[in-house]
Amino acid sequence: MELLRGCIERAARRSGYKPEEARSASLQLVASPVLQTGPHCLLLIEPDAFYTHLFSLLGLNANSREWYITYHASTVSFAEKAKKGPGWLWLEGEPLNVFGLPRSRMDSFSICALNGPYRFAFSNAKGDPAPNDAAALLLAELPSDEFASAVDAIRAANQTLWHGKLPSPIKLLQLDDFDIADLVADHLDDAGSWMSAGFIGDGKAAESILHAMDRLNVGPWQGWVRRTTDLFWRMEKGRIVPLRLQDNALRAAAPSSFEVKFRPNSIAAALRQRAIVPSLYTVFLVTSILPGVRALGGCRQTIYYPLMRYLTAVGLEQSGNFDLLTELRGDDRPALWGHRVLKPAGGYPFQELFGEAPRPLSEYAEMPLVQSSGDLGSFTRDPIWAELSKHIANGFINSGAVEWQWSRP
């Protein structure tokens, strides 16, 4: 928790807050250890992001909190699906290219890549910037600067919209994967920490976690925690490249020649040099599981996060850290659904921010869950949830499953 506090304070100062404000943000996290971990790194005005943040604001207001602390995954491409993702925004019924990027850069490049400059454009299929009134108004509102990465641009834009358009005194703090990279490096710099001595150590705990992940993916939990990379990603020429733990080293597949020894000092140096970034599992390990911070996330996170806690328990048992295992077992409701809880029918964030009569927060607060969460399509139309339902119905998964014991419902 102390290391996470340091991460929070660094991020706050980077975002322009004064040292005493940064300290108050970290103290709030200790007093109220809750972190919004969904959605991905999106502009505040994108519906998934906007209504998720609005939902968090309701809780923060109700509990008289000063800060909204959120982690947004940035190891994603500009286009997650057709005309959706960090590189797209729909305004006046038209899909607009947020940064005016060619298609070759939309699908394969990561938004956290330091390969700018990036500037807001909101261009249409013809390449015309800000082709409608809403786009022109938004473009005029956002910073006109050039940014080294898309993440930097989105973070700055969100701060501008948050301070200028939301009727709330609560301060916004956005953590990204480079913030977490430095946090992991802080853990590894401490030779006595579990991350350094146990998790990395001789490699056995990390290997046990990866083997347990493989076992999950050949059984009824298949697909929930995928081994897309081994604990870290390689950052290479604007893309994220999978790494594999082999012979006590993390290696990228050919044609890449990248390799880093699986030792605390080597990994810490690679993280600080932005040669690698943490995987989602490693992010949750240092931001939530180890410090005991409750994670608010999306529909899939309600399943994969408890499984990540199970994987951590496997690693703790392998390394013999039973004290930490006991603490982990005592967590009360370590994760909750906190993304797309507010999903009003026909919701249009542009109207909420720039319209003459935006809906007051109090109106959202009074909505019953059955009304505010829409049709729950994120659950009911997701094939992986349908498979889970079958496994429960067939008795292959039940609440007593060893993999589910860390959910703490």
Side-chain angles (χ1 to χ4, degrees), residues 299 337 339-341 343 369-370 372-382 385:
C299 57
W337 176 35
H339 178 196
R340 297 194 184 104
V341 178
K343 195 179 180 184
L369 182 63
V370 68
S372 67
S373 56
D375 59 3
L376 296 178
S378 299
F379 294 90
T380 60
R381 292 198 294 271
D382 188 338
W385 270 99

Side-chain angles (χ1 to χ4, degrees), residues 39-41 71-80 86 107-113 151 175-178 180-181 226 228-229 231-235 238-241 276-281 283:
H40 288 169
C41 184
Y71 159 74
H72 51 216
S74 55
T75 52
V76 293
S77 66
F78 287 90
E80 294 176 4
D107 296 328
S108 57
F109 284 81
S110 173
I111 64 169
C112 65
V151 172
L175 303 177
D176 62 36
D177 289 292
F178 286 156
I180 310 307
R226 295 179 298 149
T228 48
T229 190
L231 309 173
F232 301 92
W233 293 98
R234 162 67 170 154
M235 287 292 304
R239 297 174 172 86
I240 58 168
V241 178
I276 62 175
V277 289
S279 70
L280 190 63
Y281 168 71
V283 168

Side-chain angles (χ1 to χ4, degrees), residues 209 213 216 224-226 279-285 288-289 300-301 303-315 328 403-404 406:
I209 289 171
M213 200 177 293
L216 286 177
W224 286 101
V225 184
R226 295 179 298 149
S279 70
L280 190 63
Y281 168 71
T282 307
V283 168
F284 277 111
L285 189 61
S288 181
I289 298 173
R300 290 191 174 188
Q301 189 172 311
I303 302 297
Y304 73 65
Y305 180 81
L307 295 179
M308 287 180 173
R309 284 168 52 80
Y310 158 72
L311 294 172
T312 304
V314 168
L328 196 67
E403 300 90 350
W404 195 245
W406 298 96

